[in-house]
């Protein structure tokens, strides 16, 4: 399938033409991948916490092991890059000042530290990790649209063994993995959309 685009897509086009792809062309310029990650990193988060982190798996050996940890799903090794999206609230807490906007100066950094410690300091590691993962799910949506908007394809994966993925990638036990996302050019058509109507899923109050 030739999926090459001569222009970036509008948001509407990106959403309407995005399909889950499981077979990819073998190559993709790394600068395009980095642009996708840059665009996704502009996603919003509560208190600008930016809890998300990325591991880009590109070497065949690591991809094969990641595929095994994802129940053998072949899209992991088919795609030129497979992104593991995870959240790390402990890193966020340790570096709270980094997420304070520079416009607020030193006072803003102190306020950000106070806010995070007040909101999460008394919580268990597990409870605040779960909150952090809700923020990582926002960046996942941005990744999907940024990928398609630049003319590439993807498939969000939730089927994997988190413990094995963490061990493979050397991730701390406290992090939570939001999804695995193979990205690249589609080598095979995805299925057409089949979705509920807006009327089926919406009510006004």
């Amino acid at each position: 399938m030739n999926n090459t685009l001569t222009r970036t897509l509008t948001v509407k086009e990106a959403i309407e033409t995005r399909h889950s792809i499981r077979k990819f062309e073998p190559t993709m310029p790394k600068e395009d991948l980095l642009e996708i990650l840059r665009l996704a990193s502009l996603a919003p988060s509560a208190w600008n916490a930016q809890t998300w982190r990325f591991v880009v798996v590109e070497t065949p050996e690591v991809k094969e092991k990641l595929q095994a940890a994802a129940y053998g799903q072949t899209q992991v090794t088919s795609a030129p890059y497979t992104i593991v999206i995870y959240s790390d609230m402990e890193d966020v807490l340790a570096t709270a000042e980094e997420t304070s906007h520079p416009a607020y100066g030193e006072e803003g950094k102190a306020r950000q530290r106070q806010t995070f410690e007040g909101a999460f300091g008394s919580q268990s590691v597990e409870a605040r990790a779960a909150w952090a993962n809700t923020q990582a799910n926002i960046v996942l949506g941005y990744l999907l649209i940024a990928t398609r908007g630049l003319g590439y394809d993807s498939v969000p994966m939730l089927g994997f063994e988190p413990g094995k993925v963490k061990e493979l990638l050397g991730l701390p036990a406290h992090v939570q993995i939001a999804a695995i996302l193979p990205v690249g050019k589609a080598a095979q058509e995805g299925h057409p959309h089949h979705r509920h109507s807006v009327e089926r899923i919406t009510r006004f109050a």
Side-chain angles (χ1 to χ4, degrees):
M1 173 182 176
N2 185 355
N3 203 27
T4 301
L5 298 174
T6 57
R7 61 179 179 85
T8 57
L9 299 178
T10 66
V11 173
K12 182 176 185 293
E13 289 170 332
I15 291 172
E16 289 180 341
T17 64
R18 195 215 68 79
H19 302 282
S20 290
I21 299 298
R22 291 171 175 79
K23 188 174 182 180
F24 296 86
E25 299 292 342
T27 62
M28 172 183 178
K30 183 168 282 188
E31 56 265 31
D32 290 353
L33 171 74
L34 293 174
E35 178 64 359
I36 288 168
L37 294 172
R38 186 192 71 82
L39 290 169
S41 72
L42 297 175
S45 56
W47 293 309
N48 198 36
Q50 303 171 68
T51 65
W52 48 77
R53 305 290 184 266
F54 308 124
V55 177
V56 178
V57 180
E58 58 181 340
T59 60
E61 297 80 9
V62 181
K63 278 191 203 172
E64 289 176 4
K65 293 176 182 178
L66 183 60
Q67 178 180 322
Y71 307 111
Q73 296 180 82
T74 57
Q75 57 264 39
V76 173
T77 52
S78 174
Y81 299 105
T82 296
I83 307 168
V84 176
I85 303 109
Y86 69 98
S87 58
D88 190 343
M89 195 61 192
E90 300 312 296
D91 183 46
V92 171
L93 292 176
T95 60
E97 292 81 4
E98 292 182 8
T99 58
S100 174
H101 196 284
Y104 298 129
E106 293 303 314
E107 180 181 346
K109 291 180 181 180
R111 187 166 58 245
Q112 189 80 329
R113 166 66 59 191
Q114 184 179 28
T115 297
F116 282 5
E117 289 183 352
F120 303 106
S122 63
Q123 290 185 3
S124 67
V125 171
E126 293 76 16
R128 59 194 182 216
W131 181 87
N133 219 38
T134 66
Q135 307 300 298
N137 282 316
I138 298 173
V139 87
L140 172 60
Y142 269 59
L143 277 168
L144 293 171
I145 303 308
T147 298
R148 186 66 198 132
L150 292 184
Y152 293 96
D153 302 283
S154 64
V155 54
M157 297 173 56
L158 300 179
F160 53 85
E161 298 180 78
K164 290 185 177 180
V165 176
K166 291 179 191 179
E167 182 180 3
L168 171 63
L169 301 178
L171 300 177
H174 64 259
V175 309
Q176 287 206 14
I177 300 172
I180 294 175
L181 188 71
V183 299
K185 287 279 188 183
Q188 189 176 71
E189 292 278 359
H191 293 296
H193 290 142
H194 174 65
R195 299 291 190 271
H196 287 305
S197 68
V198 173
E199 292 75 17
R200 170 72 174 81
I201 61 175
T202 307
R203 59 190 294 265
F204 294 88

